[in-house]
Structure formats: C-alpha cells, structure tokens
Amino acid sequence: MVNAAVIKSDYDMKVTGETEGLFTVLRQSAKQEPVSALEKLIKDAPDRELCRINALAFAAKHKLDEEDVIAAFLHGARLAIFDVSWNILCPACGGVLDSGATLKTVEVTFTISPRVRRIAAHDPETLSWIEYYRQIFWSSGVDLPDDETLAKWVKETTLDTLELSAGEKVALSVQLPEGLVIVFDPVVHMSQYIEVKGDPARESQSLSFVMTRDHAPAGTVQMRPGPLQMTLENRSTVRTFPGIWIVSDKVHDLVSKRRPFLTAKRLLTNQTFRDIYRTDTLDVDQRLKITSLTFLFTDLKGSTELYERVGDLAAYDLVRAHFQVLNEIVAAERGAVVKTIGDAVMATFPTPDRAMAAALKMREALKDLKGDLLLKIGIHEGPCLAVSLNERQDYFGRTVNIAARVQGLATSRSIFATRQVVTDSEASKLLQSNGIAATPEKRSLRGIANQFEIFEIP
C-alpha cells in the first residue's frame, strides 16, 4: 500500500525544488530585495495574503521602491509564479465586479500560482462567507480591518446572512428597521435596495430575491418597518452568499477606507510590462479608451548633418547613447517608451508631473551633446485609444497628434507643453521648485483646427 504521507512529502519536495529554480531565474531579471521579500511571502504567509496581492501595499509594508516591486511581480508572473488579474471594480462598494485577462479593467493584482503553492482562494467554493468577502469580493484597494474588528462590524450591520447552493431556495423572517436596507450577494454582484419608512406593519410583508448571473439593475422598493417574510432563490450555477445589510454610517465608513493600488493605466506606462507582455493582454480587435494619459515626444535636431560631418559609425554611437539615456530617464519617472521613429522617441507617463520631470532630466542630461545636436521635447495630456499594432501596444487619437505637433514647435532647448500639462498641480509645483516660469503663447498646430495655448519652459 502506498503511504499518503510519503506521496505528499515527495510532492512538497518537488514543488519546493521547482520554486527555488524559478526564484533563481527571477533574481536574474529583478532586484534582490523585492525578490527576497516575495520568496518569504510565499513561504511563510497565510493563504489570504497570497490572493489578489496589492503590489503597492506590499511595497509600502516592506519599505521597497514601488517600481522595483512591480517589476518583480511582473517577472514573477512571466515565470508563472503569480497569476495576474485585471479586476473591474465597483466604484461604490469597492467590490470586484469581474476578473479577466484584458486591459478593460482598473485594478491589477497578483495571486500565487497553484503550481507554486495552492491556497484556499484557488477554490472559492471552499471559502467561508466572510473569507469570500475578504479574499474574493473586496478589492485590494479596500483597507480592511483585522478579523476581530471585521467580525464585529458584520454583526452590527447585518440582519441575516446565508449560504445557498446552486438551485437552492429558502425562506426566512426578519424584522425591518426604519432606514435603508440592502439585500446583496457578492458572487453574482446582485442587489435590491429597500427603503423602510412609515408606520410599523402589523402583518408580515413579503419580498423575493432571485440570484442569477444575468440580471437587470433593480430599483428601490418601499416597505414599512416590521416583519418581513423573504424568499431567496439561487438560480445561478454557483454557491451564493446573500446577506441583508443595514445601510448605515458603519457600512459607508468601512467601504470608504481605501488604499492605493496598481491600476491598468499605470501598468500601461510601465516599461517592464511593455517589454514582457507586448500585446498579450490586448486583443487585436480591442479598443481601450483611456481617459487620461500624458505623452512626451522627443526628436534630435541636427542628426542628419552629424552623420555627414563625423561619419556613420561615430554618429550612430552618439545617437544610440542618446536613446539609452532617454530610456533610463523615462523608466525612472514611471514612464514607458512606446516606440522610436528614426531619432524620435514617443513615451507615455501616468501623470503630467512625471513627464515634466523626465523632460527636465533629459534636457540636463543631453545639454552637452556633441556638435549642433538639439533635443526637441513636447508634452501633452488627455484621452486616447490603446490598440494592438505590429505586435506592440500603441496609442492613437487627437491627444497623441497634438503632443507630436507640440514637439515640432521646439527650435531651441526649451521644452514645449500644453496648458493641461503646465497647470497640473504637481507639474506646477515641480516648475516652481526649479525656479522655472512657463511662458504662454497662442500657436497653430499643423492639422489641428483651433489654436492652442502652448507654454515654453526655458
């Protein structure tokens, strides 16, 4: 007879050996400190800390650089140490509406791969009511309290909670208090608001709540305080967790406590992400609308004459060195180089201040370029479309066109930027701290109908 304990021991040894090998490879592409912290997390942390890991919260807890941590998680995902989730969030309650592998999302989290370590969240059907909420429903951006505090909060804010198997139907009786009550299920994210007011009901009232994957938004129903006979039916194919909640300040206080999380927008402008994944997470036919992204364009003026003057080899080495400097600066400011066209660079940043900081560093780093070379820089911020093109993620739209045209205005070492960039609060502080006064002027941009207010940063 085969001993089960021996089988488990052999399995654990195999998994441990594979994991050690994966981390050996990970150390070759990511920095030592975040890799060591991740390795300790996988070895020692309880299951719930390995589900939907908030990369920014992890960096803050371990006092590590956010970009280094994000890069470690991304390289770890490339090695199948982690699975990446793109979570669509409910703006009201902070819950996860859906998860997928596309960029039509907001929050990005990392869950340990079952290949490395199996955790309860890999089988959500095994989680308890409260653990389902903690690990699966609420996003990593909700700053949840400890177990004791959360259990007390649930007791004070719920009239009843249930667990229903697929196809199960139950009836229960509750006493409705005056105020606002919500019947809610976190699995299918279905809700029914009840406005409770008026004279107390003498006879029991009735209400049905049917859970299904495909459901239309329900309006608020009005009922009176007093007894309620409620029928709950689970018509979905999975276990559900309906609960009847009293919508009080305590509920609002809990879901309003948020912490920073890694967004899809930030990941789009992360150089490590672009280098590793290219278009893997963006379907060819997908058009992702981004409400705000900052674009920086550069171009080398005088490079053609340089090739004639010093020869191809010397000129090429100088231009290549310039690209290396720009790439390092862009990455340091949480940006990403989208592409190079000839001697020009197109880069994206999550915020205008990051782009401005990069532009100032670029100008300083390249001010001593040989000969008559001049780095022309233009910056603009606004909405755009992210698309898949030539096996890379690219961007299109009016914002991109304007940014390119603004760069074309530069004829000196001045940086040119639009009002959207210069009036950004953080970018404005950056210019003030450097003693720089931006000068506005109305300029016409080729192919753009209206004149633009362009600021020159001398």
Side-chain angles (χ1 to χ4, degrees):
M1 180 178 290
V2 179
N3 190 315
V6 172
I7 293 176
K8 183 179 186 304
S9 176
D10 290 343
Y11 174 78
D12 289 344
M13 289 177 62
K14 180 181 178 182
V15 170
T16 300
E18 288 181 355
T19 304
E20 289 177 353
L22 292 172
F23 271 91
T24 298
V25 177
L26 182 58
R27 286 189 176 87
Q28 298 172 8
S29 52
K31 292 190 177 179
Q32 176 65 36
E33 286 188 347
V35 172
S36 296
L38 288 179
E39 193 169 24
K40 180 173 174 52
L41 176 78
I42 293 171
K43 180 181 178 183
D44 301 332
D47 280 8
R48 74 160 62 138
E49 293 185 19
L50 293 168
C51 176
R52 287 185 179 160
I53 303 168
N54 182 325
L56 302 191
F58 183 85
K61 179 179 179 180
H62 294 277
K63 297 181 173 57
L64 297 170
D65 180 79
E66 288 183 354
E67 293 302 306
D68 293 343
V69 168
I70 293 170
F73 271 111
L74 289 173
H75 284 293
R78 175 178 59 85
L79 295 170
I81 296 174
F82 298 102
D83 295 326
V84 183
S85 292
W86 306 80
N87 304 322
I88 306 170
L89 305 185
C90 172
C93 67
V96 175
L97 296 174
D98 197 5
S99 295
T102 74
L103 293 179
K104 292 180 178 177
T105 47
V106 178
E107 177 199 62
V108 182
T109 57
F110 301 85
T111 297
I112 189 68
S113 168
R115 169 187 173 185
V116 175
R117 174 177 159 183
R118 191 152 196 91
I119 61 175
H122 289 144
D123 302 296
E125 291 274 331
T126 66
L127 293 174
S128 66
W129 186 90
I130 193 61
E131 283 302 315
Y132 188 92
Y133 266 96
R134 185 185 278 279
Q135 296 188 45
I136 304 299
F137 175 70
W138 275 312
S139 76
S140 71
V142 177
D143 194 5
L144 295 171
D146 58 42
D147 288 351
E148 183 178 350
T149 304
L150 185 59
K152 181 182 177 182
W153 176 86
V154 169
K155 184 177 180 180
E156 293 174 345
T157 58
T158 57
L159 296 176
D160 207 342
T161 62
L162 298 96
E163 176 183 328
L164 295 183
S165 301
E168 188 176 0
K169 181 178 180 180
V170 299
L172 64 118
S173 298
V174 295
Q175 284 291 126
L176 286 179
E178 190 170 7
L180 188 62
V181 171
I182 182 174
V183 187
F184 179 74
D185 175 70
V187 181
V188 298
H189 207 94
M190 187 173 176
S191 62
Q192 173 67 68
Y193 280 95
I194 307 171
E195 185 180 12
V196 186
K197 64 180 182 179
D199 296 331
R202 294 183 179 182
E203 297 181 355
S204 181
Q205 306 164 98
S206 62
L207 183 67
S208 295
F209 185 69
V210 179
M211 286 153 282
T212 175
R213 286 290 187 186
D214 301 316
H215 55 84
T220 301
V221 299
Q222 292 188 349
M223 309 195 84
R224 292 191 292 169
L228 170 67
Q229 186 76 12
M230 186 155 206
T231 303
L232 299 106
E233 183 178 359
N234 179 12
R235 291 184 186 171
S236 75
T237 58
V238 295
R239 178 187 61 165
T240 57
F241 285 121
I244 306 172
W245 303 75
I246 302 170
V247 183
S248 63
D249 289 341
K250 291 180 180 179
V251 171
H252 294 303
D253 288 344
L254 182 115
V255 299
S256 64
K257 290 181 179 178
R258 305 296 174 93
R259 60 182 179 175
F261 58 83
L262 181 60
T263 64
K265 173 184 170 182
R266 177 166 176 179
L267 210 55
L268 279 171
T269 64
N270 180 277
Q271 192 66 56
T272 301
F273 174 76
R274 292 189 63 87
D275 291 343
I276 292 176
Y277 290 96
R278 295 178 179 260
T279 60
D280 289 350
T281 53
L282 190 63
D283 296 335
V284 172
D285 295 328
Q286 192 178 92
R287 301 292 184 268
L288 176 65
K289 179 72 173 180
I290 301 174
T291 57
S292 174
L293 206 61
T294 305
F295 291 87
L296 181 148
F297 279 83
T298 73
D299 195 15
L300 272 180
K301 182 181 180 182
S303 59
T304 302
E305 292 79 1
L306 180 68
Y307 279 92
E308 294 292 331
R309 190 167 62 253
V310 303
D312 290 347
L313 186 59
Y316 174 74
D317 286 343
L318 184 60
V319 172
R320 187 176 61 176
H322 129 272
F323 277 133
Q324 182 176 348
V325 170
L326 296 193
N327 273 276
E328 290 173 355
I329 292 173
V330 169
E333 291 299 331
R334 299 182 182 175
V337 173
V338 178
K339 59 187 174 183
T340 59
I341 309 167
D343 300 330
V345 168
M346 173 185 174
T348 58
F349 296 85
T351 54
D353 61 303
R354 291 287 181 178
M356 184 62 71
L360 294 174
K361 288 180 180 179
M362 290 174 181
R363 182 167 65 182
E364 184 65 23
L366 300 181
K367 66 181 182 181
D368 296 325
L369 281 175
K370 184 181 295 185
D372 299 324
L373 285 178
L374 173 70
L375 186 68
K376 302 163 59 180
I377 303 174
I379 314 172
H380 180 50
E381 179 266 345
C384 63
L385 288 174
V387 300
S388 169
L389 185 67
N390 298 327
E391 297 186 352
R392 299 286 292 188
Q393 289 168 7
D394 208 341
Y395 301 91
F396 290 90
R398 190 167 185 265
T399 298
V400 181
N401 294 336
I402 290 172
R405 301 290 188 269
V406 169
Q407 176 269 313
L409 296 176
T411 56
S412 65
R413 295 193 185 276
S414 293
I415 299 164
F416 283 76
T418 59
R419 170 171 286 279
Q420 288 92 323
V421 174
V422 174
T423 58
D424 172 79
S425 59
E426 294 302 316
S428 179
K429 290 178 186 177
L430 178 64
L431 293 175
Q432 290 176 13
S433 66
N434 282 276
I436 298 174
T439 306
E441 59 178 301
K442 290 284 187 179
R443 298 289 293 270
S444 295
L445 302 178
R446 182 171 57 85
I448 307 297
N450 299 323
Q451 280 198 327
F452 257 74
E453 189 172 30
I454 306 296
F455 288 75
E456 181 177 357
I457 293 100

